[in-house]
Amino acid sequence: MSETVKATFDGKEIEFPVIVGTENEKAIDISKLRSSTGYITFDDGYKNTGACRSKITFIDGEKGILQYRGYPIEEMAEKSTFLETAYLIIFGELPTKAELSHFQELVAKHTPIHYDMRHAFESFPANANPMAILSAMFNMVSCYSPHLLDGDYTPEQLVEASARLLGKTSTIAAYTFKKANGRPFSFSNPKLDYSANFLHMMFTEPYQEYMCDPDVVRAMDLILVLHADHEQNCSTSTVRMVGSSRANLFASVASGVAALWGPLHGGANQAVIKQLLEIHESGQSIDQVMERAKDKNSGFRLMGFGHRVYKNFDPRAKILKKACDKVLASLKTRDPLLDIARALEERALEDEYFIERKLYPNVDFYSGIVMRAIGIPLDMFTVMFAMGRMPGWIANWYELRTDPNSVINRPRQVYEGATKRSYVPVDKR
Ligand code: CMC
């Protein structure tokens, strides 16, 4: 017999079914709670609320497990590429050789943006925040994709919409960087793989082709693979929330960008580098920094350490650390911030305070360091995160759109404002 949970409301006992996921996660199904009892649940920040059933990504934070469609992140990181991972996440299965090459060709075909869209970049000020540009440009892409707006996609339309979004994200990101630096745009090169082409569009100058170091390209691709999905985080839940009103895919991912822009979500890797800069500029020793991090009254935390979900280790950080070491060795970068980062990492990993509290470097610690070493400016870090997260946003949006039971998302609230009172005309107040 299926498991149930009983609760008593005003002396009346009600039984609720328990939903069990494929990895044995359990949830109490309270969908009939309000109609049968008049009560709602209160769960500030949705920390205990399952808002959907999903077949895309599984996380067990206690055990440090992250799986895309059942495949462990460690295997995907070692053996796959970003576009293959994106295919898996969006369509549910690993592609055949023919499917992958078709998808790669389609992404390459849709990477250039419509010529008219280039003019849009002229109207942004040079110091515009790249996330503002990215969000605006996704809505603009929708204007050039009218046949993809209704959202009831055929399989071919889903492939095309995904290829468009993945391709155009890399171009918009690179052109945002060029615009900020007053440099001419570089055309995409369809012969290059996704990450190599992105770096080419970012760094190629009119008379100086960017020479892609394979370790750098691999590290860039790895960052994208590791960020491709992370189940119901703030931006993905936003995409689902917006999509639940039957908003189109482009508008929904634009809202995902807006959610990711917030410093509590997409800004952690920037915070890591900003903190390293502060430490460097203030001339503090590693000892002093460690003491401040452990002193509760200092209000100071080591950025890039600890995680809300992963309580033993962040599996993505373990993987990225190796790539980080490789990139730094390969580029032979001399950067005082990277030296500070290395020293902090070493000290924190053997410090009792950090060991006791299971505070390990998280993915943002290493992604921040790698991106700085590659030459990606600080204000573009969150854009890289968005580029990586695109497959997760698309897959979640599509899963919701094709779920016959999905309804418009409409949470309730506990009202705590004034009770009913009568209006008083302004001259009598
Ligand atoms: N430096 C120093 N002490 C810390 C840190 C840190 N980075 N993180 C947690 N602690 C201490 C905290 O003071 C507390 O100590 P005590 O038990 O003595 O009171 C203990 O560790 C547990 O902290 P918590 O705040 O209850 O842990 P949490 O799970 O609520 O917070 C966190 C997780 C990520 C918000 C936190 O570790 C933190 O602020 N880290 C720095 C910021 C950061 O790197 N954020 C990126 C997270 S990854 C984002 C993503 O995956 O998208």
Side-chain angles (χ1 to χ4, degrees), residues 296 301-302 304-305 307-308 311 316 353 357 362 364:
K296 290 276 168 301
R301 281 185 171 195
L302 265 197
F305 286 79
H307 198 277
R308 191 47 55 81
K311 288 303 173 199
R316 302 164 303 168
Y353 173 98
R357 291 167 180 75
N362 57 47
D364 293 302

Side-chain angles (χ1 to χ4, degrees), residues 111-124 133 137 140-141 144 168 171-172 175-176 178-179 183-188 201:
T111 295
I113 53 174
H114 192 287
Y115 203 76
D116 292 350
M117 280 181 71
R118 281 153 205 265
H119 301 307
F121 283 92
E122 287 161 21
S123 46
F124 291 109
I133 300 182
M137 291 308 254
M140 190 173 239
V141 172
Y144 291 89
K168 294 197 192 320
T171 309
I172 294 166
Y175 286 10
T176 302
K178 293 279 193 177
K179 157 79 188 174
R183 307 303 305 157
F185 298 153
S186 304
F187 286 110
S188 71
M201 288 194 287

Side-chain angles (χ1 to χ4, degrees), residues 5 117 131 202 223 282 298 315-316:
V5 165
M117 280 181 71
M131 290 299 272
M202 282 282 284
I223 289 177
S282 66
S298 70
R316 302 164 303 168

Side-chain angles (χ1 to χ4, degrees), residues 227 230 233 260 263-269 271-272 275 290 292-296 300-311 314 316 353-354 356-365 385 389:
H227 284 86
H230 213 229
N233 54 83
L260 190 67
L264 294 186
H265 187 10
N269 47 20
V272 169
Q275 188 171 79
M290 293 297 289
R292 273 178 78 206
K294 293 190 270 183
D295 175 6
K296 290 276 168 301
F300 176 88
R301 281 185 171 195
L302 265 197
M303 288 296 133
F305 286 79
H307 198 277
R308 191 47 55 81
V309 177
Y310 296 116
K311 288 303 173 199
D314 178 343
R316 302 164 303 168
Y353 173 98
F354 281 80
E356 242 171 48
R357 291 167 180 75
K358 299 182 172 160
L359 300 171
Y360 300 100
N362 57 47
V363 70
D364 293 302
F365 183 74
F385 191 156
R389 188 53 52 87

